[in-house]
Amino acid sequence: MSIVKRSAWLGILLLLTGCWNSKDLQTMAYATALGIDYADGKYITYVQILNFSNIAKSENNQVGTRIPIWVGRGEGKTVSESLTSIYSTSQLRLFWGHVKAVIVSEALMKKGLPDVYDMLNRYRELRYNILFYGTNKPLDKLLSLTSMLNFSPIESLLTRPEQYYSQKSLILPVYGYKFIADLNEAGNSTMLPSLTANSVVWEEDQSRVSLYEINGAYFFNNDKYTAWLSQEDLKGARWLQTKLERTPLNAPKEHPIAALILEGPKYTVDAHVVNEKVRFTISLKIHAFIDEFREHATEAEIETSAETEIKNEILMSFHKGVNKRVDVLKLSETLYRKHPDVWKTHFKGKEFPLDKDSIEKIDVKVNITHSGKYKERK
């Protein structure tokens, strides 16, 4: 090769970019969940860190081996200052692209959430589809909870709520982008699932284990925190969730003749004005199958009993909400979307437009599609 050609090739090689800014993946700290609190004029943040080399499946890893969870704490007058204060002691570069959930405290909810979400959304590494929760429990304790069988903490209700919801649908998981969108919508009470730790159900070698549980929901009206309702209070709201996958019901509640599993609700909400007040009619159709047959009864009797229980639950949740001035059934939002002129005339500008008589009628039709592996008793 001539000297000229050799020099040309050397010049080209010098122009090639290198990997000067590359990072070794195994030497980075991966944030998987955040907790944000507010006290004494400062934001207090907690960062859950996992070592992905312990989580990745390999021949050397054994299912059930406990995976350590690290939680860092920061403070600052802004959320950004609070999070960046953790860098000084992190030892490793923090990567935020794997954050899957954010838990906010009651104190922060009462102060206001839009500014917090604005900061989180502006940082390029954080994604839009992050799950949002509220809590009144210590954030560092919640972020330190493990999963069942010592699986990865990622395999928990905190970051994979769809696993829980697909078996028992009660309170729908909420993503941050949807939560903020609902906060900005007119005629809407926005719901945020409430997260807690339950230590009375499961044991490991006869020692109590704390695991995540959704125990209710927080509600906001016009960006402002309004009230908290328990999971029991919100049982009736599940029937007006089109994403409801699978939910249990005793028919009747007190002395059940059958236990049912219901799925696939289809409902409509209609409104009309009576004496200058808006009244709603709810029509619901839902499929069911028999999970347990306890006493002799016909299919029609079971369906009628289930329909009565569903009506009672819807009214119960509605009245619980009205007492705390929140619209748990989203009736106002439905009116806003379907009949905007009626909403503007009768609801716009009112602090809380619903009353205990706002629901005029509820029609429920339950259709039992099958009775499991056994035939119905005769």
Side-chain angles (χ1 to χ4, degrees):
M1 183 182 292
S2 67
I3 295 176
V4 174
K5 288 184 177 181
R6 190 176 299 160
S7 300
W9 278 111
L10 288 173
I12 292 172
L13 289 174
L14 289 173
L15 293 174
L16 293 176
T17 58
C19 300
W20 310 113
N21 293 324
S22 66
K23 302 290 189 301
D24 291 331
L25 298 181
Q26 67 272 19
T27 60
M28 296 173 66
Y30 294 90
T32 50
L34 298 177
I36 308 178
D37 194 5
Y38 187 81
D40 301 324
K42 290 185 177 181
Y43 292 94
I44 304 167
T45 55
Y46 298 88
V47 183
Q48 181 193 78
I49 303 294
L50 298 181
N51 184 347
F52 273 52
S53 64
N54 291 337
I55 296 173
K57 295 180 180 178
S58 69
E59 293 180 358
N60 296 326
N61 287 344
Q62 294 182 354
V63 174
T65 302
R66 190 179 187 281
I67 297 174
I69 301 174
W70 287 66
V71 178
R73 182 182 185 276
E75 285 189 12
K77 293 183 178 179
T78 65
V79 180
S80 178
E81 182 185 14
S82 181
L83 288 172
T84 55
S85 70
I86 299 174
Y87 292 157
S88 59
T89 56
S90 67
Q91 314 301 311
L92 303 173
R93 184 188 186 279
L94 287 179
F95 180 71
W96 304 93
H98 287 291
V99 172
K100 297 181 180 296
V102 174
I103 312 172
V104 295
S105 69
E106 282 190 356
L108 182 63
M109 285 185 273
K110 292 174 181 177
K111 182 188 181 298
L113 293 178
D115 292 342
V116 173
Y117 192 75
D118 177 83
M119 177 272 152
L120 296 177
N121 237 13
R122 286 182 184 275
Y123 189 58
R124 64 185 182 278
E125 288 183 3
L126 289 169
R127 304 178 183 183
Y128 292 106
N129 58 337
I130 296 176
L131 290 156
F132 253 49
Y133 301 94
T135 191
N136 62 354
K137 301 299 181 182
L139 292 170
D140 56 336
K141 304 298 182 185
L142 281 181
L143 292 176
S144 299
L145 296 184
T146 59
S147 185
M148 286 188 66
L149 306 177
N150 285 326
F151 274 32
S152 161
I154 292 178
E155 300 297 330
S156 68
L157 187 148
L158 176 65
T159 55
R160 299 272 178 87
E162 66 277 3
Q163 298 183 87
Y164 147 82
Y165 193 78
S166 65
Q167 286 191 310
K168 187 179 181 182
S169 304
L170 285 175
I171 296 175
L172 190 68
V174 172
Y175 287 95
Y177 71 89
K178 184 69 168 67
F179 175 72
I180 294 300
D182 286 346
L183 278 183
N184 294 326
E185 281 282 0
N188 194 19
S189 284
T190 306
M191 184 188 76
L192 184 65
S194 170
L195 192 67
T196 190
N198 187 315
S199 59
V200 300
V201 176
W202 292 95
E203 293 182 355
E204 181 183 11
D205 293 332
Q206 296 187 335
S207 297
R208 296 289 185 182
V209 178
S210 292
L211 296 172
Y212 292 113
E213 181 184 20
I214 301 295
N215 66 337
Y218 296 94
F219 286 87
F220 298 77
N221 289 334
N222 300 320
D223 289 352
K224 305 297 182 184
Y225 168 71
T226 304
W228 177 85
L229 288 170
S230 70
Q231 181 177 263
E232 188 66 26
D233 294 337
L234 296 171
K235 273 190 171 182
R238 58 180 162 164
W239 307 115
L240 271 64
Q241 292 179 3
T242 54
K243 293 183 179 181
L244 182 141
E245 294 185 38
R246 187 178 190 274
T247 194
L249 180 74
N250 287 338
K253 180 180 179 180
E254 297 300 330
H255 303 286
I257 57 177
L260 304 177
I261 299 296
L262 297 98
E263 52 194 8
K266 295 181 180 180
Y267 71 92
T268 59
V269 177
D270 294 316
H272 62 279
V273 180
V274 179
N275 297 327
E276 296 301 313
K277 290 188 177 182
V278 179
R279 295 292 179 254
F280 295 90
T281 298
I282 299 172
S283 300
L284 170 69
K285 293 181 179 180
I286 190 166
H287 296 295
F289 64 86
I290 298 174
D291 205 36
E292 182 180 349
F293 213 155
R294 296 174 55 85
E295 296 181 13
H296 171 75
T298 65
E299 186 176 286
E301 289 173 335
I302 298 173
E303 289 175 340
T304 300
S305 179
E307 291 163 0
T308 300
E309 288 300 327
I310 292 173
K311 290 179 188 177
N312 292 340
E313 283 193 0
I314 292 174
L315 282 173
M316 178 274 295
S317 292
F318 173 73
H319 290 141
K320 291 279 187 180
V322 168
N323 289 339
K324 293 194 175 182
R325 303 181 73 76
V326 293
D327 181 8
V328 300
L329 302 181
K330 296 184 176 293
L331 299 179
S332 181
E333 180 189 10
T334 302
L335 183 68
Y336 172 72
R337 295 187 181 281
K338 293 180 66 175
H339 307 286
D341 293 337
V342 176
W343 181 87
K344 288 178 182 179
T345 302
H346 298 276
F347 277 23
K348 187 177 181 180
K350 290 188 178 180
E351 184 178 349
F352 186 72
L354 301 175
D355 58 50
K356 62 182 181 64
D357 298 318
S358 291
I359 295 181
E360 185 176 70
K361 186 179 180 182
I362 301 176
D363 289 322
V364 179
K365 176 58 181 174
V366 174
N367 177 32
I368 295 178
T369 56
H370 66 86
S371 55
K373 293 188 293 184
Y374 288 171
K375 293 182 178 180
E376 298 172 38
R377 295 176 184 171
K378 300 297 182 182

